[in-house]
Amino acid sequence: MLSEFQDTLLQSVKAYQSTELVKNKYENVLEHLDSGILLFDSEGELSFINVQMAKLLEIPRQSLIGCNLLQMLRHTHLTRFKKRKILRIYRETIFHRKKYHELIDEYGRHWLITVTYGDQMDGDYLLSVKDVSDYKRIEQTAYQNDKLAMLGKISAAIAHEIRNPLTAIRGFIQLLRPHLVQLGRDEYARIILTEIDRANDIIYEFLNSSKPSAPQKVVVSVSSLLKEVVLLTESEGLMKGCEINLRLPDEVMKISVDVKQIKQVLLNIIKNAMDAIEEVEGDHAGIIDIGAHLDGKFVNISIQDNGNGMDKALLAKLFDPFFTTKEKGTGLGLSVSYRIIKNHRGNISVDSMKGSGTVFLITLPLA
Ligand SMILES: Nc1ncnc2c1ncn2[C@@H]1O[C@H](COP(=O)(O)OP(=O)(O)O)[C@@H](O)[C@H]1O
Ligand SMILES: [Mg+2]
C-alpha cells in the first residue's frame, strides 16, 4: 500500500519535473526570440517580458515586472518618445481594437506590433513587436521601381506623340519658307525651325534618360569628371552667390559609366543645391562642397550644400517622379537621377536637416 503511494508520488514528481523542464524550455525560447514580447495578466500587470523587449524599451527588465501600464508610463527610465509610442499602441490596439499597429522608432526602424487577447489568451494580453525594416525597404524599393517604370512608359509615349506633330510642323514650315523669304520674313522661319529642333532635342534627352536602357559605358577618372562638372556650374554658381569647392584625393579613381548620364545626375544635384541655397532668406553665403573618396570597391561622391534643407516628410518623397516644391520645377531631376545611378549598379542616399543643409551621397562601383 505504502509502496503504491510512493510510486504515484514519484510519478507525479517526475511529471511535474518534466512539465517544469518543458516550461523552462519554452520560456527560454521566448526569452531569446528576435521579436519583443510583453505579457500582461488579466489584472493588467506585466507578468513577462523578454530580452529583446527590454532592449527595445531600454529599461532593465526586473524594474518592469509587476507594473501596470500607468506605472510603466511613469517609469523614470522611459524616454518621452517611447511613452508617446506606447500610449499610441494602447489607443490603437486596445481602444480601437486593431490587431496590428505599425510604427517608426527614433532610429528610423519600422516595427510591427501585434496584440492578442480574449478567449484564446485566458484573459492575458500578449503584445509582440517585430522589426520589419527590411521588408519595408524591399516594399519601398519595389514601389519606387514600379513608379519609375511607369514614368518611363508614360514619358516615352508622350514624347513619341509630341514628336510626330513636330515633324509635320517642321515639314510645312520648310514648304512655307520661300514665301516667307519673299515677304522678307526668313528670320521667322529660321526661329521656328531652331525652336522645333530644340524641342526635339529636349524630348530626345528626356527619352534617353528615362528609358531603362543599359548605359553606354566608358572608363573615366572620377576626378576629371567632377572637374568638368564643376567647370560647367561655376559661372551659374557665381551669379547666384554660391561658392563651389571641389576636394579630391590623390588616389586614382576609375569608374565605368555613361558619362553623359552621370554628368546629368551631378548637374541635377548641384542645380538643386543652388536652388536650395537661393531659398534661404536674407544674406546667405552659399557653399557647395563636392568631394570623392574610395571605399573598398566603390567610390563615394558627396555633394553637400548649406541650403534650406528638408524635413522627414519631404525626404520621403524626394525621388518620386513629378514631386517638386518649386514653382517652375518638373520633379523629374531626382527620379531620373535615381534611375540612372541604379542602372549603373550604384546607389544614391540623402541626409538633410531642415534649415541647415543637405548632403547627397552617390556610390558607384569602381571599374
Ligand atoms: N539640395 C536640396 N536641398 C533642399 N531640397 C532639395 C534638394 N534637392 C532636392 N530638393 C527637393 O526635392 C524636390 C525634387 O527635386 P527634383 O527631382 O530635382 O525636382 P525639381 O528640382 O524640378 O523640383 C525639389 O523640389 C526640392 O524640394
Ligand atoms: Mg531638380
Side-chain angles (χ1 to χ4, degrees), residues 309-351:
M310 290 172 271
D311 57 20
K312 284 237 156 62
L314 207 155
L315 270 175
K317 291 185 244 162
L318 197 62
F319 294 103
D320 286 2
F322 304 115
F323 171 77
T324 180
T325 55
K326 301 169 194 168
E327 208 177 315
K328 286 193 177 149
T330 59
L332 286 174
L334 288 178
S335 65
V336 167
S337 302
Y338 182 89
R339 156 160 296 227
I340 291 175
I341 296 298
K342 283 285 165 189
N343 273 345
H344 281 80
R345 300 183 186 285
N347 196 31
I348 301 192
S349 62
V350 193
D351 202 7

Side-chain angles (χ1 to χ4, degrees), residues 148-149 151-156 159 203-213 261 264 332 335-336 339-340 343:
L148 286 176
L151 168 73
K153 278 187 201 152
I154 295 175
S155 50
I203 293 170
Y204 178 79
E205 278 290 309
F206 182 67
L207 264 179
N208 234 11
S209 56
S210 60
K211 212 165 45 179
S213 64
Q261 289 189 358
Q264 189 188 348
L332 286 174
S335 65
V336 167
R339 156 160 296 227
I340 291 175
N343 273 345

Side-chain angles (χ1 to χ4, degrees), residues 139-323:
E139 189 183 87
Q140 270 163 6
T141 318
Y143 180 60
Q144 186 86 357
N145 287 345
D146 220 36
K147 274 206 284 191
L148 286 176
M150 181 70 104
L151 168 73
K153 278 187 201 152
I154 295 175
S155 50
I158 293 177
H160 189 73
E161 289 306 316
I162 293 176
R163 263 182 160 184
N164 285 342
L166 280 183
T167 314
I169 294 170
R170 200 178 196 287
F172 282 110
I173 290 294
Q174 266 171 335
L175 289 178
L176 275 178
R177 198 166 191 172
H179 304 283
L180 287 169
V181 173
Q182 267 180 5
L183 293 171
R185 293 284 187 260
D186 187 33
E187 183 66 5
Y188 289 1
R190 201 190 55 77
I191 292 174
I192 293 171
L193 287 173
T194 47
E195 288 300 298
I196 287 174
D197 289 344
R198 199 163 69 93
N200 259 324
D201 284 349
I202 293 171
I203 293 170
Y204 178 79
E205 278 290 309
F206 182 67
L207 264 179
N208 234 11
S209 56
S210 60
K211 212 165 45 179
S213 64
Q216 302 288 312
K217 292 183 178 176
V218 286
V219 176
V220 286
S221 116
V222 174
S223 303
S224 57
L225 188 69
L226 288 177
K227 277 182 199 156
E228 232 175 282
V229 169
V230 169
L231 212 66
L232 285 172
T233 50
E234 242 165 6
S235 59
E236 191 178 347
L238 216 63
M239 268 184 342
K240 292 183 168 168
C242 299
E243 182 186 317
I244 301 179
N245 299 318
L246 178 61
R247 255 178 240 123
L248 292 169
D250 293 331
E251 296 127 314
V252 182
M253 300 172 288
K254 295 261 188 205
I255 48 175
S256 169
V257 293
D258 187 316
V259 176
K260 232 171 110 184
Q261 289 189 358
I262 298 297
K263 263 193 199 164
Q264 189 188 348
V265 171
L266 294 166
L267 290 174
N268 276 341
I269 294 176
I270 297 172
K271 177 85 176 49
N272 280 345
M274 288 184 193
D275 292 344
I277 286 168
E278 268 193 314
E279 286 291 319
V280 180
E281 310 222 334
D283 209 10
H284 179 62
I287 298 174
I288 301 174
D289 281 321
I290 303 173
H293 66 91
L294 282 175
D295 182 10
K297 289 183 175 163
F298 294 87
V299 57
N300 288 326
I301 301 173
S302 64
I303 296 149
Q304 179 162 17
D305 68 68
N306 62 347
N308 62 348
M310 290 172 271
D311 57 20
K312 284 237 156 62
L314 207 155
L315 270 175
K317 291 185 244 162
L318 197 62
F319 294 103
D320 286 2
F322 304 115
F323 171 77

